[in-house]
Amino acid sequence: MLAVLTLDQRRSRSSPDLVEDALSTLAPLGALRAFERTAGDELQGVVDEPVVLVQVVELLLRQDRWNVGVGLGEVELPLPSSTRAGRGAAFLRAREAVSAAKTSPWHLRVVGDEGAGPARALETTWWLWAAILSRRSARGWEVADLVEGSDVSYEEAGRRLGISQSAVSQRAQAAGLVEGRRARELAGYLAAQLLTPVGASA
């Protein structure tokens, strides 16, 4: 089972086209099939690795500029080199999901097998994670970008930011770093229950 992500830029008629910048930002994350512009202000990519799926969605939630549709399911193999040429249930569900995302909490929807509990749980986790990220200030992001996924201590972060270790701790707490880390871990766990990396042994 793979994840197809269809992204639609919000408020595109009143803001600059963000697709090319998004493509450049998403490219290094390592999608199975690279994100491509499919039409107008829409782009689509295919992901098979749980960690990549979580990284992509985290980036999109942080940007808060996109309707995000995640379709989970089978695709026709072998996958064509171009995302736009792909076919299968996951592609259809991604289209359904991005349409629903336009009026959904945090502009994100996940569509999997009918009645699939893990897909709903993953969607719920992302909604809760989005609520944490939405309240994070610029100063909170400064701390998060320094210490998340690195060996930088609060003491070292304070030195780099020119503030005390105590101030770093206060910013981290206000930014919900611990809660955000747990949400990322849970999203990764749930994604691992749903995705089957291409080439993985049965």
Side-chain angles (χ1 to χ4, degrees):
M1 183 179 292
L2 304 181
V4 175
L5 290 92
T6 299
L7 316 176
D8 177 61
Q9 183 180 333
R10 288 152 48 197
R11 299 182 294 275
S12 58
R13 294 183 180 180
S14 59
S15 60
D17 187 316
L18 302 176
V19 171
E20 292 305 318
D21 286 344
L23 291 175
S24 297
T25 304
L26 292 168
L29 297 183
L32 179 64
R33 289 294 180 270
F35 282 85
E36 300 177 6
R37 186 193 293 266
T38 52
D41 53 7
E42 182 183 278
L43 57 157
Q44 189 173 68
V46 182
V47 173
D48 68 334
E49 295 284 352
V51 65
V52 175
L53 178 60
V54 173
Q55 289 173 342
V56 168
V57 173
E58 180 177 15
L59 175 64
L60 296 170
L61 290 176
R62 178 172 180 173
Q63 291 182 344
D64 193 29
R65 299 289 185 86
W66 301 92
N67 295 309
V68 181
V70 181
L72 301 170
E74 303 301 326
V75 301
E76 293 186 9
L77 297 176
L79 271 171
S81 59
S82 171
T83 301
R84 288 174 293 189
R87 300 178 63 184
F91 286 92
L92 297 176
R93 290 169 183 167
R95 171 63 53 200
E96 177 185 346
V98 77
S99 295
K102 296 175 182 180
T103 55
S104 295
W106 308 107
H107 299 277
L108 182 147
R109 289 302 302 267
V110 179
V111 176
D113 292 332
E114 185 175 353
R120 182 180 176 88
L122 181 58
E123 178 182 79
T124 301
T125 299
W126 276 330
W127 286 355
L128 296 174
W129 193 5
I132 295 169
L133 298 181
S134 71
R135 73 171 193 246
R136 191 170 288 178
S137 67
R139 290 184 174 184
W141 278 114
E142 278 185 331
V143 171
D145 289 338
L146 277 175
V147 305
E148 290 285 276
S150 71
D151 295 326
V152 175
S153 66
Y154 281 10
E155 182 180 5
E156 174 61 22
R159 281 197 292 268
R160 296 187 188 186
L161 294 172
I163 59 178
S164 68
Q165 182 177 343
S166 176
V168 172
S169 180
Q170 290 173 4
R171 287 191 191 183
Q173 183 176 3
L177 259 64
V178 173
E179 297 93 328
R181 189 177 303 121
R182 289 294 186 94
R184 184 186 299 110
E185 291 173 1
L186 180 55
Y189 171 79
L190 293 168
Q193 314 307 304
L194 292 161
L195 299 186
T196 305
V198 171
S201 58

